[in-house]
Amino acid sequence: MAIALIGFLGGCQYESDGVSLPSASTSTTESRTVPPTPESDDTRRVSPLPENGDIAAGTYLVLAAGFAAPFEITVPDGWSVTDGEGLAKDDPDHPDKWGVFVGWWPAHYVPTDACAWQDALVKVDPSPQAFVDAVRAQTSTASTPPVEVLLGDYSGFEFDHSVAGDVDITACDRDKFCIHSSLSNECTRWYSSAAERETYRVVDMNGQRGVIWVVQFHESINPELTREAGAVFDSIVFRSDK
């Protein structure tokens, strides 16, 4: 399955000279709006995002599997699509295939322990709060307190997620940390090292959940690329009238 190949694949404010993804460390009592991109214009025609391959810079409409509403995303040059479920860009100075990734495939199951996850994927109900609670309660990982955000026509929650500092990946099932999955018997979103970190936004589309995330695979990824990935993530705007 293609999503399994990209499974080893984060907020709104970015440090000017750091390489870590930003921390959503305030409580849910403090809400904010993700700023729209300058190109946003509801009267314009937006091309659908291709399923695969390199894409030109621009704004695209995404009809994500399992999402109750589409969203728009804006990318600069150099990004590619994988199975219509995520965007990736390479860091040419890093040996791994990709440096950063923005993903949005379905997240129906969450293991209670990201390290001991085999035969332990638990289905979560479709509400955004259920997913937030399940991931933040996950053993072997750590999350920041969720922040309320507004992404276009829908609200949601944002939080950062990473591996707990003292967990050895070699002791985990199949040498990976499973974060969530679209399947009940296999992990489709995992970390292949303890260095990976993400920011999640869990969108509430009238009670139905949409999960999107931005990934930095290593602390050594070029900070300019990390900031670019954050800008792509921030460009996502959900539309109820498309």
Side-chain angles (χ1 to χ4, degrees):
M1 171 171 286
I3 54 176
L5 295 176
I6 58 177
F8 60 88
L9 298 168
C12 293
Q13 297 177 355
Y14 295 83
E15 297 295 329
S16 60
D17 55 359
V19 296
S20 297
L21 291 178
S23 174
S25 58
T26 54
S27 71
T28 56
T29 59
E30 180 180 340
S31 62
R32 55 193 172 85
T33 301
V34 176
T37 58
E39 296 85 358
S40 181
D41 179 357
D42 289 345
T43 64
R44 77 196 188 290
R45 190 174 200 79
V46 182
S47 299
L49 185 73
E51 282 291 305
N52 286 286
D54 297 339
I55 57 174
T59 298
Y60 296 89
L61 185 67
V62 181
L63 303 174
F67 284 33
F71 62 84
E72 295 175 10
I73 190 167
T74 301
V75 297
D77 287 324
W79 287 75
S80 61
V81 189
T82 302
D83 291 335
E85 295 180 322
L87 292 165
K89 190 168 184 179
D90 179 42
D91 182 347
D93 297 323
H94 202 280
D96 284 357
K97 181 179 179 181
W98 291 322
V100 288
F101 184 83
V102 178
W104 53 77
W105 61 81
H108 302 312
Y109 300 86
V110 175
T112 55
D113 187 334
C115 186
W117 58 269
Q118 283 194 287
D119 301 319
L121 294 168
V122 179
K123 189 168 185 177
V124 294
D125 75 42
S127 74
Q129 188 66 59
F131 179 83
V132 173
D133 291 345
V135 173
R136 296 192 69 240
Q138 191 175 70
T139 307
S140 302
T141 57
S143 301
T144 57
V147 177
E148 293 180 356
V149 292
L150 184 65
L151 296 93
D153 294 339
Y154 297 101
S155 62
F157 302 99
E158 175 185 311
F159 62 93
D160 294 344
H161 200 62
S162 59
V163 175
D166 58 349
V167 181
D168 179 7
I169 192 170
T170 62
C172 297
D173 292 344
R174 291 165 54 183
D175 295 332
K176 63 179 69 173
F177 297 101
C178 181
I179 309 304
H180 56 77
S181 182
S182 60
L183 305 174
S184 62
N185 60 346
E186 181 56 85
C187 187
T188 60
R189 174 66 191 109
W190 70 82
Y191 299 167
S192 57
S193 81
E196 290 189 39
R197 59 195 64 193
E198 305 171 289
T199 289
Y200 279 89
R201 289 182 183 150
V202 187
V203 185
D204 184 353
M205 295 170 284
N206 299 322
Q208 296 299 305
R209 179 175 66 242
V211 181
I212 56 175
W213 59 93
V214 60
V215 187
Q216 176 185 304
F217 294 113
H218 297 279
E219 293 182 354
S220 58
I221 295 300
N222 187 321
E224 290 299 326
L225 181 55
T226 301
R227 283 189 284 271
E228 185 175 302
V232 171
F233 191 55
D234 283 346
S235 77
I236 293 176
V237 177
F238 284 78
R239 301 296 188 196
S240 60
D241 57 351
K242 293 289 184 181

